[in-house]
Amino acid sequence: MEITVPPFDIKSIAPIILVTITGIVVLITDVFLKKLPKETLGYFSFLAVLITGVIISSQLGTTVYSFSNTFVVDDFSIFFNFIFLISTAIVILMSVTYLRQEGINYGEYYTLILFATVGMMLMAGGADLITIFLGLEIMSISLYVLAGFRRDRLDSNEASLKYFLLGAFSTCFLLYGIALLYGATGTTNINEIGTFITNNHAYSNPMIIMGTCLLIIGFGFKTASVPFHKWAPDVYQGAPTSVTAFMSAGPKAAAFAVFLRVFLVSLPGLETKWSVILWVMSVLTMTVGNVVAITQTNIKRMLAYSSIAHAGYVLMAIVTASSLGTASILFYLLVYVFMNLGAFAVIMVLGKKGKENLQIDDYSGLGYKHPVLAITMSIFMFSLAGIPPFAGFMGKFYIFSSAIKSGYIVLAIIGVINSVISVYYYLRVTVVMYMKQPVREFAPLSLSPFIILALIITIWGTIHLGIFPSRIIEFAQESVLLP
Amino acid sequence: MIPLTWYLILSGALFTIGATGVLIRRNALVILMCIELMLNAVNLAFVTFSRHHDSMDGQIFVFFIMTVAAAEAAVGLAIIVAVFKNKATVNVDKINLMKW
């Protein structure tokens, strides 16, 4: 018997290989050169992420299927790769000082961040459910460890344990869904599943419907959508702040990337069925996220609920299943990376070893003591609330208009009402900063050139995308999956 | 030959037992074991469908699931050990520092 080796195209996964090798090099260097300051590993990882970004931009405009149709490079995956790399780069910049200050300055931190990025890139480019599953797990397992990175602290342990148990539990449902889809169609390739369903008119095959529901559970968990959101506040609160920032940006975008790809490529035939489920989930996610966020006193927990609410807005655009909806998701997720990472960077600047100042009341009087920092925080809060001229407004505007264009008027109205509710808790931070007297003395800020650079990048992104969004919007519209 | 349905019923039953175990048991180690049981139920379903369709995709998928399950078990046990070092319990009801 002759074995033919299928052609493989290393070029298409060059960015992933580069990030993987960087991760391994960082890990080995950390072991063998013990004297090397850990910050160097951070700079090295940052540099590698930038180079990867350059390589990815050279792939623009092509659609290449490689490795027996299990991996695809198209504008959709490239747009998401940019989102991941931007968030990874900003998080590395933010982490360098934070890790030293918190006494968790270990080299493997950067390795885990890079491996999680590899997982996300595999997810965005996965054209086969095997690749998607593998990417999801590479990302999740790295994140389980990262959430518990502050090993000696019980809240970090607890976050890690909760995330791990619930994450592994939800993966089982995702896998059973994949198994049922495979059983019904005989293939794990997402394009072939789509073709099979259309050709055989298998729209009411119970196995496919059941599989779709289980996939929604699995992806709903990773995107922290209600009713699969209970892990998010605890994990966001307990994990080290830099890891929380990372989790709220990249992995969430990656989960939405597979959500979109699987549902728009494999299961467009069942749209009437899943759009109803996602409609309900979107309304629940927005409402629960925003209403519960109002009562929070811990800022990390408040941002966790706010991130749940933002997942609801994105789900709204998935419900429309239109190219405009997809483009608005791409734009929104990019915007969200900037404004959310910025807010977390400000939280980290205010934190000190042993006293992280995580209560919202700790921000009282910040506007008088550190005016620049207070303005920065206000920009991010206004942007998250969706107030023009900041990017958050443009993102929400595109999502709501895509919902209206597709005829989901009620959904858009609920979204706008929720957006109004969210203004209350975002502005409360601003109110506390400017209209309350300081409760106690502020400790000196933990500033370093790197976190300042991270803040400048995020402010620039938040303002620039709010005032001049057209270029990125065009790029997003070229990157959608639908014809 | 044993029909396809029987394997699927067994797989479904194992999955349900695992899921119930995760929901009602309070020991983190037992929960981990229940999750492994659920993964194995999925493996069984994959192998069954692979045989049914005469395609190897399902069996390849099983290898990946087993590898990932091993990695997950390693990380999970490490996390449980870290929790136990700080709190001296693996009862998930007692690990309740953060709520609402």
Side-chain angles (χ1 to χ4, degrees), chain A residues 163-183:
Chain A
Y163 193 23
F164 167 73
L165 289 178
L166 294 173
F169 189 49
S170 77
T171 307
C172 297
F173 286 95
L174 179 74
L175 281 172
Y176 214 87
I178 295 176
L180 289 179
L181 280 183
Y182 171 66

Side-chain angles (χ1 to χ4, degrees), chain A residues 113-133:
Chain A
I113 292 262
L114 291 172
F115 283 172
T117 313
V118 169
M120 292 188 260
M121 288 160 81
L122 264 178
M123 283 164 83
D128 192 291
L129 291 171
I130 298 181
T131 327
I132 289 176
F133 164 69

Side-chain angles (χ1 to χ4, degrees), chain A residues 396-474:
Chain A
K396 268 185 195 160
F397 174 77
Y398 281 111
I399 283 191
F400 292 152
S401 57
S402 79
I404 290 170
K405 279 219 179 95
S406 305
Y408 292 97
I409 310 278
V410 180
L411 193 58
I413 292 174
I414 298 175
V416 172
I417 294 174
N418 266 294
S419 193
V420 173
I421 298 175
S422 77
V423 173
Y424 174 79
Y425 60 86
Y426 289 127
L427 287 196
R428 198 178 56 184
V429 178
T430 318
V431 168
V432 164
M433 284 193 300
Y434 285 102
M435 301 184 187
K436 273 196 178 172
Q437 292 306 312
V439 196
R440 55 182 102 72
E441 279 297 299
F442 283 100
L445 303 176
S446 12
L447 281 172
S448 72
F450 304 100
I451 203 150
I452 292 176
L453 182 59
L455 279 171
I456 290 172
I457 295 172
T458 46
I459 293 176
W460 176 82
T462 310
I463 296 178
H464 182 82
L465 290 178
I467 301 176
F468 308 108
S470 49
R471 268 191 63 199
I472 302 292
I473 286 281
E474 269 169 37

Side-chain angles (χ1 to χ4, degrees), chain A residues 137 157-158 176 182-183 301, chain B residues 11 53 55 58 72 86 97 100:
Chain A
E137 282 303 304
N157 291 157
E158 184 180 325
Y176 214 87
Y182 171 66
R301 218 173 162 77
Chain B
S11 156
H53 289 298
S55 83
E72 234 171 32
N86 284 334
L97 216 55
W100 277 98

Side-chain angles (χ1 to χ4, degrees), chain B residues 5-31:
Chain B
T5 336
W6 290 30
Y7 289 104
L8 291 181
I9 291 173
L10 176 62
S11 156
L14 283 177
F15 192 83
T16 318
I17 294 170
T20 319
V22 172
L23 296 176
I24 63 172
R25 297 300 293 263
R26 297 291 66 151
N27 186 315
L29 287 164
V30 178
I31 293 178

Side-chain angles (χ1 to χ4, degrees), chain A residues 18-28 44 110-111 114-115:
Chain A
L18 182 63
V19 179
T20 316
I21 291 178
T22 314
I24 295 168
V25 168
V26 167
L27 194 62
I28 293 174
F44 179 63
Y110 301 105
T111 306
L114 291 172
F115 283 172

Side-chain angles (χ1 to χ4, degrees), chain A residues 196-214:
Chain A
F196 180 92
I197 293 177
T198 336
N199 289 349
N200 295 287
H201 300 286
Y203 304 128
S204 45
N205 181 334
M207 240 149 78
I208 292 182
I209 294 176
M210 194 65 201
T212 310
C213 293
L214 291 171

